[in-house]
Amino acid sequence: MSRIEAEVAALEDMSSAALREAWVRLTATPVPRISPRLLRLALAWEIQARKLGGLSRATTRSLDQLARGSSRTAAPRAGMRLVREWQGRAHVVTIGEDQVIRWEERCYASLSEVARAITGTRWSGPAFFGLKTKVAVAAERTGRASRSATAAAAASAAGAAA
């Protein structure tokens, strides 16, 4: 059994008071008002995250967006072509198989860098290229897509019956 596994297993035998002490010692923050069972889970996550690394920045951002419920950002995928018109000119950005972002034969580290190069001001790259949408808009698109699929299935069934 590894050291991490042993530390996590030891949480099962700890009293509520010992769990609270462990929380303060590990995180240096006040103990959250949660049950001992949930505190054990939180401590287990903290122990593992500190030893193995926590969540990636992208995962943290996605969880943040889900918690706020305000917007959703789609990650750029290899092979994507993003087109944005800006001041009467169409700008085409491609995402390579190597995840490198290319615009006008130059490579960029992020869509935000490209958006800044195009506009001369700071922009959220995903928002500029339409990858970031409000949750209400995303839900409406999903609803519209499922209604279309339902209508197509009904039409297909009607055609088969005739």
Side-chain angles (χ1 to χ4, degrees), residues 55-68:
L55 299 173
S56 69
R57 184 172 180 227
T59 300
T60 302
R61 183 180 37 228
S62 294
L63 290 172
D64 236 13
Q65 286 180 346
L66 286 170
R68 283 193 319 267

Side-chain angles (χ1 to χ4, degrees), residues 63-93:
L63 290 172
D64 236 13
Q65 286 180 346
L66 286 170
R68 283 193 319 267
S70 57
S71 64
R72 209 168 270 149
T73 303
R77 293 180 309 278
M80 267 187 157
R81 250 184 96 200
L82 304 169
V83 181
R84 168 68 196 260
E85 184 193 341
W86 181 257
Q87 295 183 342
R89 182 172 164 225
H91 298 273
V92 179
V93 172

